[in-house]
Structure formats: structure tokens, C-alpha cells
Amino acid sequence: MSSAGRRRAAAIRTKEWAQVWHDPSTLGLVVFLPLLLIFLFGSALSLDTDQTRTGLVDRDGTITSRDLSAALKANRYFIIEEASEVAPLAQRLEGGDVRGIVVIPDGFEGEVTSDGDAQVQLITDGTQPNTAAFLSSHAEGVIRNWSASRDLGARAAAQPIELVTRYAYNPGLESSFMLVPGAISIVMAMIGCLLTALIMAREYERGTMEGILSTPLSTGALVGNKIVPYFLMGLASTAICVAVATLFYGLPLRGSAIALLIISASFLYAVLAQGLWISSITKNQFASTQMALLLGYLPSLLLSGFLFELDSMPAAIQWLSYLVPARYLIPPLQSVFLVGDVWSIFLPNIAVLLGIGTFFLWRARSAIKRTIA
């Protein structure tokens, strides 16, 4: 290459470097996004289930049963909550406050000391198959180690203490029963956010926003009416997902259609409002799409409890997950499919979703100016 060609090539490189340094989105892709992803994948996401909230019912009340209870409490994998009966803990299991219930039956000490058929029951939440399997294996390990520490090795080898596990709400421990409701949440989050992430940016790019803002329609009415068609389309997409889940994957719908509609509508309100806010502040369709994927899809996938247990994440990441709308959809959606209408779960999550949607609509309204720069 001639010296003139090298100078032209150097000039182009210099110009591109200047554009890069003055383009925040490019720098964000190079610096911020890799840091965010490596931090999330490296430390926030974990398949371990340390300190799983677990109920304990000791119906035997003997020295032997209390000793086994103490062994369960000392294990780092459990946070034990004791009760005298199963019923109150079963309600907490239904609400997701505990992940399992260990029941030491009446007559346990007699069975252990007489080489009888000693059993311990574990009732666990089948809507979380991974956690249920880990909980069962950890409980079985505690019982085995406890037997060895009490000089029951020969007895345990001949007639081991049996852990009888019952998986509530998902007896077959079908992973699709957990994954499909979560997948519906992710699909709704991505489609909902993308649907409205482009509408305001499209108006700005086409130069039609000035004409719309010149009408007597108030900004609040403009924002509200902009979202209505996409809200109905989002409900249609949700109906398609639910039909596929029930007809092709055999997912039971044990709750009511009304509850499912209210839950879905609340979530769509939140994510559509989020997309509208993104569209209002970027004013560019390409930037809106990037931001919608970064703020809508990625957090929903990683920080909603869909793939990874939130309890296994560091406290700071758990606090960050409270900002993700999908976090408030997955528990109600799993409940309406696998458990039924549990309004004690539905109502708090619906209230949070409505609050998130109202906040983003307010921010979108504030971002829309009456004059075009």
C-alpha cells in the first residue's frame, strides 16, 4: 500500500475510534455488558441449595427423635422451622415459604431400637424439581450419618432407616411442570417489552411524533391509548402459550381461568409500560431493541427464579431481583397451573406488578416532551 493509502487508512481508523469514544452504547457493549454477564454467571447463578427453608414435625417426641431433629438443624443445607402439626407447615409449603417438611412419625424410637421398619417422611415442593431432589438427597445423607454416629451402623446396614419422599403438586417430578410456566413468563416478558419498546421510537424516527403531540390529547391519554392494542396482542400471545402448555406438554390447569387472566394482565401491564418507557427515552428503534433485551429479557431469564433458585444467590443479587417483573409472575403462574387459586400468593405479586407498571407509565409520560428538539 502506498504512503497515501496508508494515510487514508489511518484517517479512517482515527475517525472510527473517535466515533467509538463518543458513542456510549458501543462502550457499554464492550465494558458494561461483559462485566454484568460474567458477574451474574460467575457468582450470582448457582445450582447449590444451601440453607433451604424446611419444616420439621417431631411426632415421636423422644430422646432419639429429638437427637435426629438436632442433626437436621445442625446441617448447613437446612433452615429448620419446627411445628407440632403438619397442617400449618403445609400451608407454608403451598405458599412457597418452605420447600419441604420432614415428619418424624410416632413410634420412631421404638422402631429404631427394635430393628423395625423405621421411616422418616419428607414432603417437598414438586414445582421445584431440582430443589426437591437436592432436599431429598441431603435429608437422606443426614439420616445416614446420624445412624452411623449413634452406633447404628450394623442395624442400618441390615434395616436402614427409610426416607419416604412425597412430591407435592408434581408427584412425577416432571421438570416440564416447572420449566413451562417459567418459559411462558420469559416469552411474555420478551414479547411484551419489545412490543412497546419500538412504538414511540418509531414515531420519533418517522417525524410523526410532533404531529401527535400537537393534538388536544393529553400526554397521559396518549400514553394510555398507545399501550391498549399491544396489551390485547400480549394477551393473545399468552393464550397461545397456555394452549401449547396444556395441550402439548400436559400441564394441568388447576386454578381458574379468571385468576390466570388477572395474573397475566397485571404482568403485561408492567412489561408493556417498561417497554414504553424505554421507547420514550431512547427515541431510536435500534437502541430501544438493545435496551429492551438488556433490561427486559436478560434479567427475566437470569433473575426471576426460572432457571436458578433465588435463595442460592448472594444477598445483593437477590435484592436486585426484586426489580425484575418476571420474579412476580413465576410463583403465581406455577401456582395457578399446579396448585390452584392461592390468592395469598396472587394478590401481593399482582399488587407489585401494578405498582411497577404505574411507575414506568409515569416515567414514560415524563419523558415525552410537548415539543420536538
Side-chain angles (χ1 to χ4, degrees), residues 149-178:
S149 68
R150 286 181 56 85
D151 297 327
L152 300 176
R155 182 251 180 245
Q159 187 72 26
I161 299 173
E162 182 183 4
L163 179 68
V164 181
T165 303
R166 178 167 70 87
Y167 301 105
Y169 319 123
N170 184 10
L173 213 63
E174 298 284 345
S175 60
S176 61
F177 283 15
M178 176 197 73

Side-chain angles (χ1 to χ4, degrees), residues 20-284:
V20 166
W21 287 113
H22 289 87
D23 184 3
S25 62
T26 303
L27 291 176
L29 286 174
V30 174
V31 178
F32 175 72
L33 188 59
L35 283 175
L36 175 65
L37 292 178
I38 197 64
F39 178 72
L40 287 175
F41 283 109
S43 62
L45 306 181
S46 173
L47 296 177
D48 298 332
T49 56
D50 293 353
Q51 298 187 328
T52 305
R53 298 184 304 276
T54 308
L56 174 63
V57 178
D58 181 3
R59 288 177 169 168
D60 197 37
T62 60
I63 294 176
T64 302
S65 65
R66 287 197 295 270
D67 192 48
L68 177 57
S69 298
L72 289 166
K73 293 177 187 177
N75 189 277
R76 71 182 181 90
Y77 290 105
F78 303 110
I79 298 178
I80 296 295
E81 179 179 329
E82 290 188 272
S84 57
E85 296 294 335
V86 174
L89 289 174
Q91 292 180 347
R92 294 179 60 76
L93 181 69
E94 184 180 85
D97 298 321
V98 298
R99 292 302 187 187
I101 306 170
V102 177
V103 182
I104 303 175
D106 186 30
F108 175 76
E109 184 178 61
E111 296 292 346
V112 169
T113 56
S114 64
D115 291 349
D117 186 17
Q119 292 182 339
V120 174
Q121 184 183 34
L122 172 64
I123 306 168
T124 186
D125 185 358
T127 63
Q128 299 288 338
N130 288 337
T131 301
F134 280 126
L135 194 61
S136 179
S137 63
H138 291 322
E140 189 172 1
V142 170
I143 293 171
R144 186 169 54 249
N145 292 335
W146 174 80
S147 298
S149 68
R150 286 181 56 85
D151 297 327
L152 300 176
R155 182 251 180 245
Q159 187 72 26
I161 299 173
E162 182 183 4
L163 179 68
V164 181
T165 303
R166 178 167 70 87
Y167 301 105
Y169 319 123
N170 184 10
L173 213 63
E174 298 284 345
S175 60
S176 61
F177 283 15
M178 176 197 73
L179 293 175
V180 173
I184 293 175
S185 305
I186 303 305
V187 170
M188 289 173 63
M190 182 176 64
I191 291 177
C193 197
L194 283 174
L195 276 174
T196 49
L198 300 176
I199 58 175
M200 289 298 184
R202 187 185 304 124
E203 302 286 1
Y204 280 110
E205 285 190 350
R206 292 176 178 176
T208 56
M209 193 65 183
E210 186 173 9
I212 293 175
L213 291 177
S214 65
T215 65
L217 200 64
S218 67
T219 306
L222 168 65
V223 170
N225 285 280
K226 273 282 189 182
I227 208 172
V228 169
Y230 302 97
F231 179 79
L232 296 176
M233 286 191 289
L235 286 179
S237 296
T238 304
I240 293 171
C241 291
V242 171
V244 171
T246 53
L247 296 176
F248 290 92
Y249 293 99
L251 203 67
L253 183 57
R254 295 178 178 141
S256 65
I258 295 297
L260 180 60
L261 176 63
I262 295 172
I263 293 165
S264 303
S266 303
F267 180 72
L268 282 172
Y269 172 66
V271 294
L272 288 171
Q274 182 183 22
L276 193 65
W277 168 72
I278 290 172
S279 185
S280 300
I281 62 174
T282 56
K283 301 179 176 62
N284 176 277

